[in-house]
């Protein structure tokens, strides 16, 4: 870091230094490496690039091809790999002697003016080293065609790097909206640039069953399809009986095998999630006999209409979306599902959901009442626990381990069940201290379905999570037993996400922040520096044609009320922004008065407009907020 500061200083002192050169000199690596020192001089990519790489190694072959492709497309240079080349300018090799410091995923990258040397103990380390190497090049390296006028050179550096935690995940909900195999691959492609190694694949919910189970064909004949609605999910009208159910889709076994193979090549594990006993309306619409209320109503795969009253905890359901824990058919069903899931997914864990199970239909069920009497269960979390314990037996019989959302802790869990902590950190801390393996995924830091900017500019979601807050995520929080914390993960629920572009927008840059939280040493995290790097990665994403959110350039808006007067406070999330506002319906620019203090809302104003600038350039989006909305926010 010290060397980095020194090189930044030199850049500042050299008045003639070009922006281009500066961006090349200060490595913008996300996640920040464990150790990085910048030397003097630069490596210039020759016109003919020769890569030396381990021969006949299936696991490294993809990494070499990946590097070859990335280097040749954008630069237009001739790149080839030859295992025996002694004069190669880029050399990738596996250590003959295991270097315990860098472990299975770490690497060492050395750049001199004449040679790039990348070493690792295992193929995964070489892959991550290649991601770092690519980030040393200017943003044009991400161009999908030959980029003209880029300087294909990188600074002389020495990097030694390895992850803070082993589980570095993103969850993608393909149940609320279906995403094609190609889109799932694109999502994985972007993850791996930031050294994520876990793709948690949410495959079933009230709004769709997305995986073929050949022994239960109705799951995908019926459960994968619903009435199409566009607008604000959760507030749609009830689907009419004659509306066509043509919206949705599912993954065949071949699709799943293809995704698992694709992910593995990129050193990503795929963990499937089948969310039970609640969030199961798509399964119940397919097989109504699995509910505690068969025949009581006509079940439909949910199309976004309200089905829960969230004023209660757990929520009360208007429509029974739970599998019946007292019904033997449910365990036969789960056995069939888990047989196929276990065969399709090599990863050791199967996630079984377990979140947000309403109790109100169980309360009315004579079957559940009889079960409670027979098993001496006195609470509904215990009823759920009875279900989870039987489910775990099924899963273990298939040679797999079970993981669930933290609600499954409530009625008591077996010692071998693992937990994903989402309702804050406390359940994960508690579980780790009682010897359960835990993945930290607290909604108040890493729920990337939440709004990242002001409600006036984002699709409405029940809460907000700014980038600065996500950056504070610590997968190893105080009080946890680190030995049992597998790692951390961000979750992308897709109720309000209708397409891949929006999925990208919601994921990035918050997943940069999560990547740095799960990979980099805590003491290497630096918010100011992270934002500089994020801006560089925005340029990379522009070349790569990946969408991201610029919400960090929009200020945080809060309103206070004093003596019947309303004042608007605007707080920039990042440094270096000037804010301009108007209440006269016109669009402010940098020639309007600069915001310096809370603004009184004029008595007859109808809307406030806000924009930020960085120097002479607009940075944020033009925000327009109705005065009525502002007044509702007053604290
Ligand atoms: C969850 O967000 N309901 C796990």
């Amino acid at each position: 870091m010290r060397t980095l500061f020194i090189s930044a200083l030199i850049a500042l002192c050299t008045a003639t230094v070009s922006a281009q050169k500066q961006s090349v000199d200060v490595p913008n690596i996300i996640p920040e490496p464990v150790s990085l020192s910048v030397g003097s001089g630069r490596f210039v990519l020759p016109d003919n690039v020769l890569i030396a790489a381990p021969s006949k190694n299936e696991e490294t072959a993809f990494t070499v091809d990946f590097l070859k492709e990335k280097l040749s497309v954008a630069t237009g240079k001739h790149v080839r790999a030859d295992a025996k080349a002694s004069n190669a300018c880029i050399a990738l090799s596996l250590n003959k002697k295991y270097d315990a410091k860098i472990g299975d995923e770490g690497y060492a990258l050395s750049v001199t003016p004449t040679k790039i040397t990348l070493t690792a103990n295992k193929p995964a380390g070489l892959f991550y080293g290649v991601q770092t190497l690519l980030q040393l090049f200017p943003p044009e390296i991400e161009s999908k065609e030959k980029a003209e006028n880029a300087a294909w050179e990188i600074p002389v550096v020495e990097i030694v790097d390895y992850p803070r935690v082993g589980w570095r995940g993103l969850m993608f909900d393909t149940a609320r909206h279906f995403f094609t195999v190609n889109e799932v691959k694109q999502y994985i492609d972007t993850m791996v640039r930031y050294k994520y190694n876990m793709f948690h694949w949410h495959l079933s919910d009230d709004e769709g069953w997305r995986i073929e189970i050949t022994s239960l064909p109705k799951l995908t004949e019926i459960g994968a399809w619903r009435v199409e609605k566009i607008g604000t999910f959760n507030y749609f009208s009830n689907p009419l009986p004659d509306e066509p159910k043509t919206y949705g889709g599912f993954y065949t076994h071949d699709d799943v095998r293809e995704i698992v193979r694709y992910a593995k090549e990129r050193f990503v594990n795929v963990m499937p999630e089948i969310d039970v006993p609640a969030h199961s309306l798509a399964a119940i619409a397919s097989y109504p006999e699995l509910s505690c209320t068969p025949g009581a109503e006509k079940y439909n795969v949910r199309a976004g209409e309200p089905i829960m009253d969230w004023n209660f905890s757990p929520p009360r359901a208007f429509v029974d979306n739970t599998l019946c824990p007292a019904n033997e058919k449910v365990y036969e069903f789960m056995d069939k599902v888990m047989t196929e899931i276990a065969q399709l997914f090599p990863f050791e864990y199967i996630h079984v959901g377990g979140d947000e199970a309403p109790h109100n239909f169980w309360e009315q069920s004579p079957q559940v009442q009889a079960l409670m009497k027979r098993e001496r269960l006195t609470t509904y979390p215990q009823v759920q626990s009875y279900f989870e314990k039987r489910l775990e037996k099924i899963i273990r019989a298939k040679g797999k381990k079970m993981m669930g959302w933290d609600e499954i802790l409530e009625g008591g869990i077996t010692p071998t069940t693992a937990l994903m902590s989402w309702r804050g950190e406390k359940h994960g801390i508690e579980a780790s201290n009682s010897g359960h393996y835990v993945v930290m995924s607290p909604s108040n830091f890493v729920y990337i379905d939440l709004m990242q900017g002001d409600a006036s500019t984002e699709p409405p979601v029940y809460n907000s999570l700014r980038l600065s807050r996500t950056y504070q995520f610590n997968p190893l929080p105080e009080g946890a037993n680190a030995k049992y914390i597998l790692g951390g993960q961000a979750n992308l629920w897709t109720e309000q996400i209708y397409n891949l572009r929006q999925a990208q927008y919601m994921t990035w840059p918050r997943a940069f922040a999560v990547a740095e939280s799960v990979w980099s040493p805590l003491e290497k995290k630096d918010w100011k520096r992270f934002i500089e790097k994020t801006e560089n990665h925005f340029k990379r994403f522009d070349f790569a044609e990946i969408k991201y959110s610029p919400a960090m350039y929009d200020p945080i808006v809060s309103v206070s009320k004093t003596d019947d007067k309303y004042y608007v406070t605007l707080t920039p999330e990042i440094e270096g922004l000037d804010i301009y506002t108007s209440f006269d319906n016109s669009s402010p620019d940098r020639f309007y008065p600069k915001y310096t203090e809370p603004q009184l809302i004029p008595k007859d104003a109808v809307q406030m407009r806000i924009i930020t600038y960085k120097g002479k350039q607009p940075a944020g989006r033009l925000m327009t907020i109705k005065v009525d909305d502002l007044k509702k926010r007053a604290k």
Side-chain angles (χ1 to χ4, degrees), residues 26 38 77 80 124 139 151 169 177 236 272 285 373 390 432 436 443 533 551 595 612:
V26 183
V38 182
K77 293 181 189 282
R80 81 192 162 86
H177 285 99
F236 291 136
K373 207 160 159 209
R390 288 196 61 180
S432 73
H436 293 94
S443 59
K533 294 191 295 183
Y595 172 90
T612 60

Side-chain angles (χ1 to χ4, degrees), residues 12 358 416 574:
L12 277 176
T416 44
I574 64 172

Side-chain angles (χ1 to χ4, degrees), residues 60-357:
T60 57
F62 173 77
T63 301
V64 177
D65 287 347
F66 178 87
L67 178 61
K68 254 168 57 183
E69 159 119 5
K70 289 297 267 189
L71 285 183
S72 56
V73 170
T75 67
K77 293 181 189 282
H78 184 256
V79 186
R80 81 192 162 86
D82 179 348
K84 298 197 189 74
S86 55
N87 56 340
C89 64
I90 304 180
L92 274 55
S93 64
L94 290 170
N95 292 331
K96 294 211 168 57
K97 185 165 174 289
Y98 192 86
D99 176 356
K101 186 172 171 204
I102 61 171
D104 287 356
E105 295 186 295
Y107 63 92
L109 176 63
S110 165
V111 179
T112 70
T114 52
K115 187 154 184 176
I116 296 171
T117 310
L118 175 60
T119 57
N121 292 323
K122 294 277 171 78
L126 288 185
F127 185 66
Y128 298 134
V130 162
Q131 303 309 322
T132 296
L133 172 59
L134 291 170
Q135 291 188 17
L136 290 172
F137 282 94
E140 288 87 346
I141 195 73
E142 295 297 342
S143 176
K144 296 187 165 198
E145 63 257 3
K146 186 170 179 231
E148 307 293 346
N149 306 323
W152 299 119
E153 35 183 85
I154 61 175
V156 163
V157 288
E158 292 293 329
I159 295 175
V160 177
D161 199 14
Y162 47 88
R164 182 165 182 226
V165 294
W167 182 301
R168 303 180 303 278
L170 289 181
M171 187 217 71
F172 192 22
D173 170 6
T174 58
R176 269 49 181 274
H177 285 99
F178 179 68
F179 294 83
T180 64
V181 169
N182 190 32
E183 288 170 331
V184 171
K185 285 182 177 175
Q186 286 182 60
Y187 199 78
I188 293 172
D189 282 341
T190 316
M191 287 171 62
V192 299
R193 293 158 189 256
Y194 298 96
K195 306 184 176 85
Y196 282 100
N197 65 357
M198 176 61 60
F199 179 67
H200 170 171
W201 197 0
H202 188 73
L203 285 164
S204 76
D205 217 299
D206 297 319
E207 296 80 4
W209 184 282
R210 301 287 177 223
I211 181 164
E212 175 189 29
I213 302 293
T214 48
S215 57
L216 295 160
K218 285 195 212 164
L219 282 174
T220 41
E221 283 163 16
I222 296 171
W225 307 99
R226 68 176 192 242
V227 172
E228 181 168 16
K229 302 261 182 180
I230 306 281
T232 307
F233 201 89
N234 289 334
Y235 296 94
F236 291 136
S237 53
N238 284 323
L240 302 172
D242 57 350
E243 278 188 279
K245 297 187 179 75
T246 52
Y247 184 71
F250 65 91
Y251 306 99
T252 64
H253 283 195
D254 280 347
D255 291 340
V256 172
R257 281 190 280 265
E258 173 60 13
I259 297 276
V260 168
R261 183 203 63 74
Y262 190 87
K264 180 165 184 269
E265 218 170 42
R266 291 157 179 75
F267 302 94
V268 171
N269 283 310
V270 181
M271 177 173 68
E273 181 187 350
I274 299 297
D275 199 351
V276 286
H279 288 275
S280 291
L281 195 51
I284 291 169
S286 314
Y287 295 98
E289 63 271 27
L290 299 177
S291 77
C292 288
T293 50
E297 55 186 310
K298 171 88 179 77
Y299 300 96
N300 283 308
V301 178
R302 183 182 179 226
E305 67 282 9
I307 62 163
M308 293 280 173
D309 185 345
W310 292 99
N311 293 312
F312 295 87
S313 176
R316 290 178 75 80
F318 309 134
V319 178
D320 185 5
N321 72 339
T322 55
L323 303 181
C324 189
N327 183 348
E328 284 308 307
K329 282 187 193 145
V330 164
Y331 301 100
E332 288 161 23
F333 169 83
M334 290 309 318
D335 194 282
K336 287 183 179 163
V337 170
M338 291 305 163
T339 298
E340 296 188 31
I341 295 279
Q343 281 165 3
L344 285 168
F345 292 90
F347 188 57
E348 60 185 323
Y349 281 103
I350 297 176
H351 196 300
V352 295
D355 55 323
E356 300 174 322

Side-chain angles (χ1 to χ4, degrees), residues 171 176 202 273 275 279 310 351 353-356 405-407 420 422-423 441 443 447 449 462 491 493:
M171 187 217 71
R176 269 49 181 274
H202 188 73
E273 181 187 350
D275 199 351
H279 288 275
W310 292 99
H351 196 300
D355 55 323
E356 300 174 322
W405 298 112
D406 58 46
E407 283 93 333
M420 195 167 264
W422 76 278
R423 293 175 302 168
S441 192
S443 59
Y447 261 40
D449 60 319
Y462 60 92
N491 297 332
W493 303 103

